[in-house]
């Protein structure tokens, strides 16, 4: 039971809880919690998702709706629903553990660059613990989705308004992408990653948190702002 309590303690005592869990190399339970919460949110979303409006909108935009029979349209809607279910579960079971492993590898490289080496298991623990705020987001999303009769993609994106773009109105698409990077759970996760890195390597907490926040800003700038703009977004 201690192996489960130690990781969860980071929610109530992030400083001491993170240090204790990282030193004890607790990464299995955080990954299991993460996989369960993400899989649950993906499953609930697919069950509540009214795919018809979104599928029809996509077909209209691509010109594929013209001449399509009602049976083919129904097949497209059912296929989209099945993909959402499989994709949601796969994200929790496969993608999130791989993301934790990638984060641990990034921490290892950063530790090597700053001459702050640590056992890889500690870095893996820091990465897994840093994703617990993301698990909490998906848990909240699951609870909110369960109370909905049906969901569209747009409604699902606003179900848990955790980023600045969901609060501000009248933003252009470009500014909306910028505002969406200021996300409570993502920033919490970045700070948690810094605390874990500090506990694993001995780097000062302030320096480590500042470093991971810079890393998040670089990641968000590339993936949430730069790449969508290159894809044709305004």
């Amino acid at each position: 039971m201690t192996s489960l309590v130690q990781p969860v303690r980071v929610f109530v005592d992030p400083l001491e809880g993170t240090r204790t869990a990282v030193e004890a190399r607790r990464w299995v339970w955080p990954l299991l919690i993460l996989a369960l919460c993400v899989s649950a949110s993906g499953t609930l979303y697919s069950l509540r998702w009214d795919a018809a409006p979104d599928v029809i909108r996509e077909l209209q935009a691509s010109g594929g709706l013209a001449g399509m029979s009602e049976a083919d349209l129904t097949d497209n809607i059912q296929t989209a629903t099945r993909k959402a279910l499989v994709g949601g579960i796969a994200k929790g079971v496969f993608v999130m553990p791989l993301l934790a492993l990638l984060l641990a590898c990034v921490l290892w490289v950063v530790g090597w660059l700053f001459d702050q080496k640590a056992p890889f298991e500690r870095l893996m623990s820091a990465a897994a613990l840093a994703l617990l705020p993301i698990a909490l987001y998906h848990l909240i999303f699951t609870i909110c989705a369960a109370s909905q009769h049906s969901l569209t993609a747009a409604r699902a994106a606003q179900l848990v308004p955790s980023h600045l773009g969901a609060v501000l109105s009248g933003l252009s698409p470009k500014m909306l992408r910028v505002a969406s990077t200021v996300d409570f759970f993502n920033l919490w996760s970045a700070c948690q990653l810094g605390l874990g890195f500090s506990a694993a390597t001995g780097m000062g907490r302030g320096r480590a948190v500042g470093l991971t926040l810079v890393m998040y800003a670089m990641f968000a700038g590339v993936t949430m702002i730069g790449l969508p703009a290159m894809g044709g977004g305004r």
Side-chain angles (χ1 to χ4, degrees), residues 34 67 80 90-91 112 129 179 196:
L34 177 66
K91 182 179 179 181
W112 176 75
L129 292 170

Side-chain angles (χ1 to χ4, degrees), residues 140-163:
I140 296 173
F141 181 91
T142 302
I143 296 172
C144 293
S147 65
Q148 302 294 311
H149 177 69
S150 65
L151 284 172
T152 61
R155 173 59 182 159
Q158 300 294 324
L159 199 58
V160 184
S162 60
H163 60 80

Side-chain angles (χ1 to χ4, degrees), residues 79-149:
T79 299
T81 303
R82 295 190 192 103
K83 286 182 178 179
L85 175 60
V86 174
I89 296 175
K91 182 179 179 181
V93 176
F94 299 109
V95 176
M96 300 311 291
L98 287 176
L99 177 60
L101 179 61
L102 178 61
L103 275 177
C105 293
V106 171
L107 291 181
W108 184 89
V109 173
V110 171
W112 176 75
L113 288 174
F114 286 85
D115 195 25
Q116 299 284 340
K117 298 180 180 179
F120 190 78
E121 270 194 298
R122 287 193 174 190
L123 298 176
M124 186 66 185
S125 299
L129 292 170
L131 292 174
L132 284 179
I134 306 302
L136 179 61
Y137 165 84
H138 284 278
L139 177 61
I140 296 173
F141 181 91
T142 302
I143 296 172
C144 293
S147 65
Q148 302 294 311
H149 177 69

Side-chain angles (χ1 to χ4, degrees), residues 39-76:
S39 297
S41 72
T43 301
L44 257 295
Y45 171 70
S46 66
L47 294 177
R48 294 290 189 269
W49 182 36
D50 180 10
D54 296 319
V55 171
I56 292 173
R57 189 180 304 111
E58 290 181 4
L59 290 173
Q60 286 176 334
S62 63
L65 188 61
M68 179 177 290
S69 66
E70 185 175 347
D72 289 337
L73 178 59
T74 301
D75 287 341
N76 275 272

Side-chain angles (χ1 to χ4, degrees), residues 111-224:
W112 176 75
L113 288 174
F114 286 85
D115 195 25
Q116 299 284 340
K117 298 180 180 179
F120 190 78
E121 270 194 298
R122 287 193 174 190
L123 298 176
M124 186 66 185
S125 299
L129 292 170
L131 292 174
L132 284 179
I134 306 302
L136 179 61
Y137 165 84
H138 284 278
L139 177 61
I140 296 173
F141 181 91
T142 302
I143 296 172
C144 293
S147 65
Q148 302 294 311
H149 177 69
S150 65
L151 284 172
T152 61
R155 173 59 182 159
Q158 300 294 324
L159 199 58
V160 184
S162 60
H163 60 80
L164 196 59
V167 178
L168 302 178
S169 60
L171 297 177
S172 66
K174 182 178 180 180
M175 291 306 300
L176 182 61
R177 289 196 299 271
V178 174
S180 67
T181 64
V182 186
D183 182 274
F184 171 74
F185 291 98
N186 286 346
L187 292 173
W188 182 4
S189 181
C191 292
Q192 183 62 52
L193 185 64
L195 293 176
F197 186 64
S198 172
T201 62
M203 179 183 284
R205 285 173 177 165
R207 184 185 179 193
V209 170
L211 180 61
T212 52
L213 287 174
V214 170
M215 290 166 56
Y216 171 72
M218 294 170 60
F219 170 80
V222 172
T223 62
M224 302 171 69

